[in-house]
Amino acid sequence: MDTARRIQVTVNGTTVESEVPVRLLLSDFLRGTLGLTGTHVGCEHGVCGCCTVLLDGEPVRSCLLFAVQTHGRAIRTVEGLAPDGALHPLQAAFREEHALQCGFCTPGFLMTLIPFMDENPAPSEEEIRAALSGNLCRCTGYQNIVRAVRRAGEHLTGNIPATAEERR
Amino acid sequence: MKPPPFTYVDPTGLSEATALLAAHGDEAKLLAGGQSLVPLLNMRLAQPAVLIDLNRVAELNYLREESRDGRPGIAIGAMTRHRSIERDSAVTDRLPLLREAIGWVGHPQIRNRGTVGGSIAHADPAAELPLVLVALDGVATVRSERGTRTVPAAEFFLYTFTPALEADEVLAEVWLPLPSPGTGQAFVEVARRHGDFALVSTAVSLTVTAQGRCADARIAVGGAAPVPMRARAAEAGLAGEDPDDTRLREAARVAAGEMEPTSDVHADARYRRDVAETLVYRALAAAGRRARSDA
Amino acid sequence: MSTRWFGQPVRRNEDERFLTGKGRYVDDLQPAATLHAAVLRSAVAHGRITHLDVEAARQLEGVLAVWTWQDLGDVWRPSPMVVPNEALIHPRTQYPLARDKVNYVGEAVAFVVATDRYIAEDACDLIEVEYEILPAVIDLENAVAGDTLVHEDVPNNVAATLTQQVGDIERAIAEADHVFTERLYIERSAAQPMETRAIVAQWDSAERVLTMWDTTQAPLSIRNGLAVLLGLPENSVRVVAPDVGGGFGVKIMMFYPEEVLVPLAAMRLGQPVKWAEDRREHLIASNHERGQMHEASIAVRSDGTILGVKDIFLHDAGAYTPYGIVVPIVTATQLPGPYRIRNYFSESRTVYTNKVPVTPYRGAGRPHGCYVMERLIDRVARELEMDRAEIRFKNMIGPDEFPWDVGLTFQDGAPTRYDSGNYPAGLQLALDRIDYAGFRELQERRRREGRYVGLGMASYVEGTGIGPYEGAHVRVDGTAQRVVVATCVGTQGQGHETSFAQIVADELGVRPDQVEITTGDSRSMNWGSGTYASRSAVVTGNAIGAASHAVREKAVALAAELFEANPADIELRDERIFVAGSPDSGLPIWDIAVVANPIRYAYGTQAARAIALLKQRQGPPLPEGTEPGLEARKYFSPEQATFASGNHAVIVEVDPETGIVTILRYVAVHDCGNVINPMIVEGQVHGGVAQGIGGSFYERLVYDADGQPLSTTFMDYLIPTAMEVPNIEVDHLETPSPLNPLGIKGAGEAGVIPVPALMAQALEDALGPWGVRVTEMPLNPGQIRALVRDAETRATAAEDTR
């Protein structure tokens, strides 16, 4: 029956150890304790998706998890997507298609989409929109995000249409 | 919106969990997927002194075929994630109502963490899984240090957010019967946005004999009363009859009359009753079509 | 000068850091030893504070300070009246902490500073506060009846009565063949950017400098106001808006209470202090908008010619008027839209209620004006049985009628005089894209299938690019080989780092990715206003254009001297400056920048080579009247707004049994004059339309009769997701602005303006068989279903009486 615990978590491939209060949210652990501020907090009640990270490869809302619950688990955040500087095809596609404006929701979208694209290399527009329905964006109206997913899918499957017109 | 202080414990077995509940039940809350509880904690609408985290109780995570009293069915451990059900086609092919309902539960990130037990014990009348449990007359298994008891679905939901659980008890499992041959099922929901809690939802099941008569009719409606409810009068009206379009419309009308809906920011009572009739009809029509093709 | 970059969909300079999680939003900043603040907020909408005891909170371990109004000293005073107006006879602004009385749920009552936010919230829970609850003023019509007053000395809760008129409306009404009247409502909604507000303040007691990072859209205004409030010289206060996650108007205030409390705490406690707003706070304590009630009449001839419009409306100000009456002024002046309204009368009363204060939110009164005007026209079309496109074309100002003086005074105090545009062409383009001609047949086909589709159209004119002015500082850094530009408008996602860079790149012959734009730091640019009212591209853009041009001229003059050529023969391209016709001769512009600074020694061999050229000059190294370097600071001050416009069309499907609406197609034709970056402009339109869809079907801030907000989480206040927002087909029309050198008009708010108007029309069209009338926005499925059901009841009753 603890109020604080020592935890060991692997974050973006590096194992960290920390003593944390049991009520410390995972979002605050990542941002405050570890200084990984790429994961953003938009609502703290599990609706907006800005705080999405991968827990053992699955997208979850880090504002609805306590840091102590991740002891012995592996977490991946947006900072882990392009560690050597070269953008992941999805990140490059976001830039190409203007799928971000203020950028605040973007890490949450990326972390939601990475596993989605692993499982669905050639998704339809409907499937993409359903996959995105748990992430809110206030700037883009989502349209360019959908386009970015399709473009990235083409890169990942090598299935690139001949002309820009075909893509539209 | 930070949670208030609490002490935390994460048992690894069910007996450890029930011992903790016996000691702290009144001032404790059980943490399952956290998708409903942690928002309440962050908003300080729940302020338990003790948080018992069930996520390491592996023995509560299972999905298997199991017969009860000679009826084939599926037993689902309380800590089974929604996502596991979504992914297990062996199960969902056998139980189409569950498969259809799970797709309406929140969003993928929610389904990755949310659990069947957590959803059912939360007892939100607009939630999908409680409705399925009530529609199929499932059975809940409840454990405590005092022992094990089973609770039929019809007795499990007492009021909004109020399941029939004592402070020292934990929902350990739900069992759902498989449909008999000649059964069609349908789950239909109206929500403000995709993934939101239903304004009104309905789960129906129709079993039709080779002679075209209704052998079993189940109409459950969510969001139209403080608990997920069965439209018993409407069901009785279909029993033994040919479920043609006129009868289905009548059943829907009767079902709507049996509701006790409430109003909130999203919809008023009148709308809920009104739409319930539409949804029940549409669901029954779909179930009827599926029953005929399953015969 | 080339226009190689202007008009191109250049990919953004700012994206890399956002994509890799390296953005610097205010809550990301964590100076050493930062303390964390929380605010105790009123739980009642209207009440006297009868008991306030913070002792238990002060005793909690980890708490450094708990303040009430008495602890604030000199700083406890009402925040400034940002936009005064003669008609605003009873302005009221908020104090940083309430004293005797609270006037809305969410009003700041006490302020806590602790070692972390968790403890700060624990401390808030320990503060004892009791209120004598007073009746809450919620409904607008009850408010003006005046039985209960929000502010004791403001009779009938009316802060301002504003009348604007053109021509003679009573005569127009008397002479009209028909006069139709509508009562129209738009309910409260709010900006809700994904990033809530946040502030970090740090006081350097040795240097006596206050640095504040704030999500504000107007860092200079905050800097200027804080300097006065805190008794500091302006250059001892630095306000920085770093990366900001969306603004849409809600992040512009002077001041939100926290903008005063946080720097004060940093100064008193000697440690940096951070306050990061949570979403529930944002929903109940950051400003709202949109609530208005209109009674509008339109006078027409039988052939559909509009003779005049009369509009009487109530504007819900909330409990205070920090932004004056900007929103109702914009509603009143933008209501006429693209139509010839020669007789017009508008009277608004700005009304206090016990709710969150109202300040501009994307659209800032234009959506209301467009809604009223388009609903009136729809009513005329229906009553006179005229085609709704035909009646619009009939009354639209034609492309040869500019400048068109509406006859009103706009929010900037200048005339509402439309400078250029082609409204009929825009409408025609939208109608062609949506296939208006073929729609009736589509609708009939669907009805035979038992499906109900409807088409809506709406047009608007938007005043953009108002003054007073903005400035830009442009400098070519020869050693870093970058062009460094500073302005002080903030950036919240609009792509300033790219669009502004495109302007510079064209002038100086470099690439946009070689131009670094700093926005939002009061230290880098001392003069300016802020990002609001769709003005940054116009005002800052032109200031940047002027400053870049001045730099260009200087570079050309210097090159002409060095190459012994005619300045008219000097070109800048691909980072080089050369005599036309021989691009391989000449010099990199970076070298010219070095040459422009006649210091005896040079930095780097390339610069040394360039410097050698200077030795051949005569006269002082820095000739009379020149300044060193390739650098200039210029300002742009527009005389009046420049008027953008747009025409949208939509096809929706409505399920009459459930009231659920699906948007099948959405077309947006948009005219913002010359377009710097069409990709960015389209993105702005997409986002605006999405917010408009929210304001039509999903987003409504609800208060109960006691003034308790019922929309306090994202489960109650519904932001549209990717499933609710369709693909938006955007087309551009470009009628350049004659009012600024770049010919630009603003684009930031455009997408949202016509949406409620066209959705109302589309709903009525889809539910035509029931004859429903839409007078209120937003509408949820229950309300839409009720319209159908009530129409069915009426029809049944009518049959029964036959």
Side-chain angles (χ1 to χ4, degrees):
Chain A
M1 300 266 296
D2 305 313
T3 54
R5 275 224 184 151
R6 187 142 212 92
I7 60 171
Q8 199 179 75
V9 194
T10 305
V11 182
N12 296 326
T14 305
T15 303
V16 296
E17 260 196 48
S18 189
E19 168 117 0
V20 298
V22 294
R23 63 170 171 163
L24 183 69
L25 297 169
L26 178 61
S27 41
D28 290 331
F29 176 66
L30 292 170
R31 292 176 50 77
T33 313
L34 300 184
L36 293 169
T37 56
T39 301
H40 299 143
V41 172
C43 74
E44 281 180 324
H45 50 280
V47 178
C48 76
C50 288
C51 68
T52 303
V53 298
L54 300 185
L55 179 65
D56 292 334
E58 289 196 326
V60 296
R61 280 124 153 67
S62 61
C63 72
L64 298 187
L65 275 163
F66 298 104
V68 292
Q69 291 183 281
T70 64
H71 174 67
R73 314 279 297 267
I75 294 173
R76 200 157 164 226
T77 69
V78 66
E79 289 94 338
L81 282 188
D84 322 311
L87 293 181
H88 185 285
L90 186 62
Q91 290 168 312
F94 263 56
R95 179 162 189 263
E96 189 58 31
E97 297 292 345
H98 191 39
L100 64 151
Q101 292 183 24
C102 80
F104 197 77
C105 70
T106 305
F109 273 92
L110 291 172
M111 301 320 285
T112 299
L113 285 167
I114 296 287
F116 170 73
M117 299 196 67
D118 284 342
E119 290 178 20
N120 302 273
S124 69
E125 168 133 1
E126 261 310 294
E127 287 169 334
I128 296 171
R129 285 179 177 272
L132 297 179
S133 61
N135 291 72
L136 298 181
C137 175
R138 207 51 170 151
C139 294
T140 69
Y142 307 103
Q143 183 163 333
N144 288 347
I145 297 177
V146 174
R147 290 168 58 100
V149 176
R150 301 190 94 162
R151 173 185 273 264
E154 289 152 10
H155 273 280
L156 292 170
T157 58
N159 188 20
I160 297 164
T163 63
E165 276 63 44
E166 282 183 45
R167 211 191 339 270
R168 274 178 199 270
Chain B
M1 282 165 55
K2 308 300 182 191
F6 52 78
T7 54
Y8 171 86
V9 59
D10 52 343
T12 51
L14 187 51
S15 54
E16 199 187 333
T18 51
L20 286 163
L21 281 170
H24 302 284
D26 286 332
E27 44 168 21
K29 278 229 172 273
L30 290 166
L31 176 64
Q35 307 300 288
S36 300
L37 179 61
V38 182
L40 294 177
L41 291 172
N42 289 350
M43 292 190 254
R44 299 194 174 207
L45 295 173
Q47 309 215 23
V50 180
L51 191 66
I52 303 172
D53 181 351
L54 294 177
N55 285 282
R56 295 190 192 276
V57 182
E59 68 188 274
L60 287 180
N61 191 348
Y62 57 88
L63 187 61
R64 57 182 176 242
E65 290 199 36
E66 209 170 276
S67 290
R68 298 273 167 89
D69 301 324
R71 274 210 72 176
I74 308 248
I76 310 175
M79 287 303 291
T80 307
R81 310 272 175 202
H82 298 313
R83 202 79 166 109
S84 306
I85 296 184
E86 225 182 340
R87 287 191 165 125
D88 193 329
S89 56
V91 159
T92 56
D93 285 351
R94 313 287 307 276
L95 198 40
L97 190 65
L98 182 60
R99 179 185 58 219
E100 206 172 0
I102 278 283
W104 287 95
V105 175
H107 305 288
Q109 295 103 320
I110 291 177
R111 297 198 289 274
N112 284 339
R113 291 295 301 170
T115 63
V116 172
S119 172
I120 288 176
H122 190 57
D124 186 328
E128 291 79 8
L129 295 188
L131 193 63
V132 170
L133 191 74
V134 164
L136 301 180
D137 284 317
V139 179
T141 301
V142 173
R143 298 279 295 266
S144 71
E145 271 203 331
R146 298 177 284 115
T148 303
R149 63 189 183 96
T150 56
V151 184
E155 293 163 35
F156 189 81
F157 303 102
L158 300 179
Y159 199 70
T160 312
F161 303 127
T162 315
L165 290 172
E166 300 296 329
D168 68 339
E169 290 182 318
V170 56
L171 173 65
E173 179 199 86
V174 295
W175 178 86
L176 298 170
L178 293 179
S180 23
T183 301
Q185 300 180 328
F187 188 101
V188 181
E189 177 175 313
V190 162
R192 294 289 301 276
R193 299 169 307 172
H194 183 87
D196 284 343
F197 278 108
L199 299 178
V200 186
S201 53
T202 184
V204 307
S205 183
L206 281 181
T207 307
V208 180
T209 66
Q211 294 73 37
R213 301 271 149 184
C214 181
D216 185 50
R218 295 158 176 280
I219 302 171
V221 184
V227 298
M229 53 150 287
R230 290 274 294 274
R232 304 264 179 209
E235 294 173 355
L238 285 174
E241 303 289 344
D242 169 14
D244 62 21
D245 195 71
T246 311
R247 289 236 166 66
L248 294 184
R249 288 199 186 272
E250 177 63 11
R253 195 191 60 75
V254 171
E258 296 181 66
M259 323 253 105
E260 311 150 13
T262 50
S263 302
D264 63 21
V265 282
H266 295 304
D268 63 20
R270 203 171 158 211
Y271 174 77
R272 290 192 152 103
R273 190 190 298 280
D274 196 354
V275 174
E277 183 174 339
T278 299
L279 289 194
V280 168
Y281 167 70
R282 291 181 184 178
L284 286 173
R289 283 193 298 274
R290 292 169 188 168
R292 275 181 275 279
S293 60
D294 189 61
Chain C
M1 187 199 93
S2 87
T3 50
R4 185 173 161 191
W5 300 106
F6 195 106
Q8 295 304 309
V10 174
R11 300 311 189 256
R12 300 194 327 168
N13 285 339
E14 46 263 81
D15 284 353
E16 177 137 351
R17 66 180 185 275
F18 295 143
L19 289 166
T20 55
K22 300 281 191 295
R24 288 180 85 241
Y25 302 91
V26 174
D27 189 43
D28 297 343
L29 306 173
Q30 303 176 97
T34 297
L35 301 171
H36 295 262
V39 178
L40 177 75
R41 300 183 181 282
S42 169
V44 309
H46 195 201
R48 290 191 213 290
I49 302 173
T50 53
H51 177 72
L52 182 57
D53 186 339
V54 303
E55 272 320 299
R58 284 190 176 134
Q59 300 307 319
L60 185 67
E61 187 180 332
V63 171
L64 280 88
V66 182
W67 292 344
T68 67
W69 72 275
Q70 290 161 311
D71 298 298
L72 302 185
D74 229 1
V75 155
W76 188 81
R77 60 178 100 150
S79 56
M81 188 61 245
V82 176
V83 191
N85 187 294
E86 267 181 354
L88 181 58
I89 47 177
H90 294 294
R92 290 289 178 278
T93 58
Q94 199 173 331
Y95 287 77
L97 290 174
R99 183 175 67 180
D100 311 310
K101 201 163 165 273
V102 290
N103 292 307
Y104 63 97
V105 171
E107 186 163 2
V109 172
F111 187 67
V112 174
V113 183
T115 49
D116 72 48
R117 173 75 179 211
Y118 290 67
I119 293 173
E121 290 191 16
D122 295 343
C124 285
D125 286 350
L126 293 174
I127 295 175
E128 291 172 21
V129 56
E130 278 164 31
Y131 303 94
E132 176 204 330
I133 295 182
L134 301 170
V137 179
I138 297 302
D139 172 82
L140 279 180
E141 285 177 298
N142 287 348
V144 296
D147 298 323
T148 309
L149 297 177
V150 174
H151 302 289
E152 278 138 17
D153 51 353
V154 179
N156 296 98
N157 294 304
V158 176
T161 301
L162 180 71
T163 304
Q164 292 224 47
Q165 53 194 315
V166 182
D168 186 340
I169 186 61
E170 295 307 330
R171 196 170 118 196
I173 287 174
E175 290 178 355
D177 294 325
H178 307 275
V179 179
F180 304 115
T181 300
E182 293 279 341
R183 289 200 97 198
L184 299 164
Y185 304 82
I186 297 197
E187 301 290 344
R188 273 195 176 217
S189 59
Q192 300 301 311
M194 292 324 299
E195 181 207 29
T196 51
R197 296 189 295 117
I199 300 165
V200 173
Q202 187 167 24
W203 170 246
D204 181 335
S205 54
E207 299 282 331
R208 293 193 63 75
V209 169
L210 172 71
T211 306
M212 186 157 118
W213 294 269
D214 184 359
T215 49
T216 180
Q217 295 173 222
L220 273 174
S221 303
I222 298 290
R223 192 277 308 268
N224 297 344
L226 274 185
V228 169
L229 184 67
L230 300 173
L232 292 169
E234 268 182 15
N235 64 355
S236 291
V237 180
R238 178 184 178 200
V239 177
V240 182
D243 292 323
V244 175
F248 314 115
V250 73
K251 289 175 177 171
I252 185 161
M253 260 283 269
M254 181 165 63
F255 303 97
Y256 277 110
E258 302 83 10
E259 288 173 314
V260 168
L261 296 166
V262 173
L264 188 66
M267 292 173 79
R268 285 200 187 163
L269 299 174
Q271 285 175 248
V273 176
K274 172 188 284 193
W275 173 77
E277 184 186 46
D278 63 43
R279 182 59 61 178
R280 189 171 55 180
E281 285 184 284
H282 190 76
L283 279 160
I284 67 169
S286 282
N287 298 339
H288 296 171
E289 209 231 67
R290 295 285 193 266
Q292 283 182 3
M293 223 174 100
H294 288 249
E295 186 157 319
S297 303
I298 186 165
V300 293
R301 287 206 201 104
S302 292
D303 68 354
T305 308
I306 299 173
L307 295 179
V309 171
K310 181 174 181 178
D311 181 43
I312 315 283
F313 70 99
L314 299 178
H315 172 81
D316 179 355
Y320 300 99
T321 46
Y323 230 81
I325 49 172
V326 166
V327 175
I329 289 176
V330 171
T331 299
T333 51
Q334 300 269 242
L335 189 151
Y339 306 109
R340 285 185 216 96
I341 313 287
R342 293 201 165 85
N343 301 287
Y344 176 63
F345 179 83
S346 166
E347 182 193 275
S348 69
R349 280 180 289 173
T350 295
V351 183
Y352 287 117
T353 58
N354 288 115
K355 304 178 211 165
V356 175
V358 164
T359 59
Y361 156 39
R362 202 176 203 171
R366 296 172 190 78
H368 316 66
C370 178
Y371 183 69
V372 171
M373 188 70 236
E374 295 292 296
R375 294 272 69 212
L376 286 175
I377 290 188
D378 290 337
R379 172 81 186 272
V380 173
R382 193 170 69 234
E383 296 276 2
L384 300 184
E385 292 179 351
M386 278 183 72
D387 177 86
R388 44 204 167 126
E390 191 193 322
I391 190 170
R392 284 169 165 85
F393 282 121
K394 188 183 190 64
N395 286 287
M396 267 182 175
I397 297 158
D400 48 353
E401 294 179 67
F402 290 91
W404 174 271
D405 196 334
V406 179
L408 303 168
T409 306
F410 196 51
Q411 62 173 126
D412 60 348
T416 309
R417 189 187 299 126
Y418 300 164
D419 45 292
S420 66
N422 195 337
Y423 312 139
L427 181 58
Q428 191 60 57
L429 188 51
L431 295 179
D432 290 343
R433 278 291 221 115
I434 202 116
D435 190 18
Y436 180 62
F439 181 71
R440 274 292 161 249
E441 200 204 303
L442 172 69
Q443 191 179 54
E444 289 305 311
R445 260 203 324 272
R446 290 283 175 266
R447 285 189 187 160
R448 287 195 292 274
E449 296 164 15
R451 294 170 61 184
Y452 298 91
V453 297
L455 185 149
M457 68 185 80
S459 302
Y460 66 89
V461 172
E462 181 196 354
T464 69
I466 58 171
Y469 67 86
E470 287 300 333
H473 181 202
V474 174
R475 180 174 63 84
V476 180
D477 182 336
T479 25
Q481 301 195 1
R482 324 278 300 149
V483 182
V484 178
V485 178
T487 91
C488 206
V489 292
T491 307
Q492 308 86 34
Q494 307 91 329
H496 291 156
E497 288 172 43
T498 305
S499 52
F500 292 164
Q502 289 171 251
I503 297 171
V504 177
D506 273 342
E507 284 282 354
L508 300 182
V510 300
R511 296 187 316 271
D513 66 90
Q514 295 174 304
V515 181
E516 275 172 21
I517 310 279
T518 300
T519 67
D521 184 343
S522 71
R523 177 175 294 178
S524 62
M525 185 70 198
N526 195 55
W527 304 101
S529 173
T531 300
Y532 53 91
S534 303
R535 63 192 294 275
S536 300
V538 177
V539 191
T540 308
N542 278 283
I544 286 178
S548 315
H549 190 72
V551 169
R552 179 197 173 88
E553 302 224 284
K554 190 159 183 205
V556 164
L558 197 46
E561 195 191 319
L562 287 175
F563 304 151
E564 292 171 348
N566 191 324
D569 296 329
I570 301 293
E571 280 186 26
L572 284 79
R573 195 168 72 231
D574 297 328
E575 300 174 63
R576 295 187 72 76
I577 183 164
F578 54 91
V579 179
S582 37
D584 294 330
S585 68
L587 286 172
I589 190 171
W590 318 117
D591 288 6
I592 297 290
V594 173
V595 167
N597 182 17
I599 298 289
R600 185 164 276 281
Y601 47 89
Y603 305 94
T605 44
Q606 194 160 3
R609 191 192 61 231
I611 280 288
L613 296 170
L614 262 186
K615 293 206 170 93
Q616 284 129 44
R617 293 175 92 195
Q618 291 193 318
L622 195 65
E624 175 99 30
T626 65
E627 293 176 3
L630 289 186
E631 178 176 21
R633 184 179 297 143
K634 291 288 179 197
Y635 298 88
F636 179 70
S637 181
E639 195 180 321
Q640 60 156 77
T642 175
F643 288 83
S645 63
N647 314 80
H648 293 199
V650 73
I651 296 177
V652 303
E653 179 164 353
V654 185
D655 182 338
E657 290 181 312
T658 61
I660 297 284
V661 178
T662 308
I663 302 170
L664 299 179
R665 281 193 66 201
Y666 197 103
V667 167
V669 172
H670 175 71
D671 180 357
C672 62
N674 291 339
V675 172
I676 306 172
N677 185 319
M679 179 187 82
I680 287 178
V681 167
E682 272 191 34
Q684 291 294 302
V685 174
H686 294 170
V689 171
Q691 283 177 311
I693 291 170
S696 301
F697 300 118
Y698 300 98
E699 297 179 42
R700 184 177 163 167
L701 290 161
V702 183
Y703 284 81
D704 71 14
D706 296 323
Q708 287 296 317
L710 301 180
S711 325
T712 58
T713 70
F714 272 166
M715 296 177 254
D716 317 305
Y717 190 80
L718 305 179
I719 308 276
T721 74
M723 299 289 281
E724 285 79 47
V725 182
N727 281 320
I728 298 152
E729 302 162 53
V730 180
D731 238 328
H732 295 287
L733 210 60
E734 285 189 19
T735 59
S737 170
L739 300 179
N740 61 75
L742 294 174
I744 301 173
K745 300 176 181 178
E749 295 169 90
V752 78
I753 295 170
V755 188
L758 66 65
M759 291 300 182
Q761 193 195 96
L763 285 177
E764 287 184 355
D765 191 42
L767 299 174
W770 286 271
V772 310
R773 299 285 161 256
V774 175
T775 56
E776 183 179 342
M777 276 295 184
L779 289 179
N780 64 33
Q783 291 166 296
I784 294 172
R785 170 67 194 152
L787 288 173
V788 171
R789 199 174 49 223
D790 292 345
E792 283 174 344
T793 308
R794 277 198 305 274
T796 313
E799 270 181 33
D800 289 345
T801 59
R802 272 198 210 108

